Amino acid sequence: MNSEVNEIEIQFNLNGQDLKTKVLPGMTVLEMIRRNFKLTATKEGCGKGECGACSILFNGLPINSCLKLAATLTPTDKIVTVEGLANDELMQRIQKAYVDEGAVQCGFCIPGMTISTYSLLKKNPKPTMDEIKFALAGNICRCTGYRKIEAAVAKAAERGEK
Amino acid sequence: MSFEFYKPANIDEASKLLKNSGYVAIVGGTDTIVKIKANFYKALKALVDLNGLFSKEIKVEGDKCIIGSACVMNYIAEHPVIKENFPVLAQAALSVAAVQIRNTATIGGNVGNSSPVGDTIPALYSLEAEVNIVSDEGKRVVPINEFITGVGRNVLKPGEMIESFAIPMRKTKGSFQKLGERKALSISKINLGLSYWNDGKPHYRIALGAVAITVLRVPKAEELLENSPLPLTDEVIQQAATYAVETAKPITDIRSTKEYRKQMAGVLLKRALNAIRE
């Protein structure tokens, strides 16, 4: 790496912790969380916002972390990755439903899928099938054909009612 | 990929930075980062981060609705003032990409990028929006139909930025239509914004995207519709659709063909008019 390039110091909150780190101008949030913080659940698929494998929560909303520059983060920004939701009741319910429905094959898309599912069910605990499809339209899976993923989201919602 | 990164503290500083050649503004980044990765900017020297400088909110001020340029698509699509008064814009914003991009992509970016296929642009044309432009030298207002001058080109001079959009406050009915390879994440082959309001007499505004280097209005169809009694008959709608086909001047490119786009201009207008029928 060119040592003359100025690294930028940024502050933000990652999975509940206020942090400081240094990033290069072109580094995406995805690269930063994987390289600087070794949080590797979040995956790079297409790298241009089409597949959703890199989905994270940014100030509570799902975004593509491959299309956000780390240098643009500010101290009030909150990033949550799948790791940050490991003990979250809703995320655990979603993960169990994905396993029970056989919705996970190679697994590469699943962190992004579960982030989108989490975001949907937080806002809308009883989604219709159309709402499920709309909420997951930004996530591509190349294994399952989506039927099992949609069933898993519906199951997670159903189990939440009890 | 080596460039500098600036985070100006105010609009004045940002404007001065953006006068340098090779300095590119970034807010949401959903277009800019894709372009950087694709090596689109041959002489990129620096990114100028405008996050925090422009409003992310929608407000009604007097007889205008003011949309801050940093408003993201989902915020616009879900905003009660927009849903209630400018449904064409709510629908257009909700049709962009997918939820993750709609949480980051801004309306200022969509218009500033000035692609002939930008989905919010025909909606803003049909609502007769104005673009509020700011720089360290002052402010100016440009009607949306004079803002875009070509593919990826607009009237912004170095150092100028989009501060907000102003839409005349009135209750409109509207419909946004687009065709793509799939519902989500498709760049439009063709899109159309329709707005209708009645202030004692009916007004129709029809704007077609992706059928020329910039959005085209269809004045012959607007005039026909405004002079036709309500409810509109199928014959009137068919004639309006024919005018839309005649107006469209599309090209063939990677996303679609000239012939298909031309025919679809009429189909989309029919769908939009049917969508707003009582």
Side-chain angles (χ1 to χ4, degrees), chain B residues 55-213:
Chain B
S55 171
K56 295 171 152 181
E57 289 180 1
I58 292 169
K59 281 187 285 189
V60 179
E61 289 176 6
D63 58 356
K64 284 178 178 167
C65 173
I66 309 291
I67 303 173
S69 62
C71 287
V72 299
M73 296 298 164
N74 271 340
Y75 175 79
I76 294 168
E78 290 168 12
H79 198 283
V81 171
I82 304 296
K83 279 165 79 173
E84 178 72 14
N85 298 288
F86 312 119
V88 67
L89 182 58
Q91 291 169 30
L94 194 62
S95 83
V96 172
V99 58
Q100 293 95 328
I101 286 178
R102 288 195 298 273
N103 282 329
T104 334
T106 65
I107 187 166
N110 198 227
V111 174
N113 205 35
S114 301
S115 159
V117 300
D119 286 322
T120 62
I121 302 170
L124 291 169
Y125 266 65
S126 76
L127 295 166
E128 302 187 329
E130 291 173 328
V131 188
N132 293 320
I133 297 170
V134 67
S135 75
D136 61 339
E137 289 162 42
K139 298 190 176 201
R140 64 185 178 120
V141 181
V142 175
I144 184 79
N145 60 326
E146 292 170 21
F147 180 82
I148 296 165
T149 52
V151 178
R153 292 163 175 271
N154 56 51
V155 301
L156 289 181
K157 291 184 233 146
E160 285 190 322
M161 294 160 281
I162 301 175
E163 180 179 47
S164 61
F165 299 89
I167 300 176
M169 201 57 216
R170 56 190 160 213
K171 194 164 164 56
T172 71
K173 285 188 184 185
S175 178
F176 177 79
Q177 302 283 333
K178 83 184 215 185
L179 292 172
E181 286 294 307
R182 55 180 283 225
K183 277 187 192 157
L185 287 164
S186 283
I187 295 175
S188 298
K189 292 172 191 288
I190 173 170
N191 55 21
L192 178 146
L194 167 72
S195 290
Y196 163 85
W197 65 93
N198 194 321
D199 52 10
K201 46 181 222 182
H203 298 271
Y204 290 85
R205 297 290 180 270
I206 301 161
L208 283 170
V211 295
I213 57 166

Side-chain angles (χ1 to χ4, degrees), chain A residues 29-30 42 49 52-69 72-73 78-80 112 115-116 119 139, chain B residues 28 30 72 74 98-105:
Chain A
V29 169
L30 173 65
T42 311
C54 68
S55 300
I56 57 163
L57 297 178
F58 175 67
N59 297 329
L61 300 170
I63 69 161
N64 297 117
S65 62
C66 75
L67 293 186
K68 173 119 190 113
L69 289 187
T72 65
L73 294 175
K78 291 184 169 56
I79 285 178
V80 174
I115 285 281
S116 289
S119 172
N139 294 81
Chain B
T30 54
V72 299
N74 271 340
V99 58
Q100 293 95 328
I101 286 178
R102 288 195 298 273
N103 282 329
T104 334

Side-chain angles (χ1 to χ4, degrees), chain B residues 32-51:
Chain B
T32 310
I33 294 173
V34 173
K35 283 181 177 171
I36 293 170
K37 289 182 181 183
N39 209 13
F40 172 86
Y41 302 109
K42 299 297 174 209
L44 179 65
K45 290 206 188 92
L47 286 180
V48 181
D49 182 8
L50 305 185
N51 277 289

Side-chain angles (χ1 to χ4, degrees), chain A residues 103-120:
Chain A
V104 182
Q105 289 190 28
C106 89
F108 200 81
C109 71
I110 296 300
M113 286 287 177
T114 55
I115 285 281
S116 289
T117 306
Y118 183 88
S119 172
L120 168 68

Side-chain angles (χ1 to χ4, degrees), chain A residues 113-161:
Chain A
M113 286 287 177
T114 55
I115 285 281
S116 289
T117 306
Y118 183 88
S119 172
L120 168 68
L121 296 184
K122 264 270 183 227
K123 203 168 138 188
N124 179 2
K126 293 184 200 172
T128 62
M129 202 39 96
D130 281 348
E131 287 168 337
I132 291 172
K133 288 180 182 176
F134 190 71
L136 297 188
N139 294 81
I140 288 177
C141 170
R142 298 287 82 160
C143 305
T144 68
Y146 303 106
R147 297 266 296 266
K148 292 178 174 184
I149 290 174
E150 288 156 17
V153 180
K155 178 154 277 183
E158 193 188 300
R159 286 175 176 171
E161 287 171 30

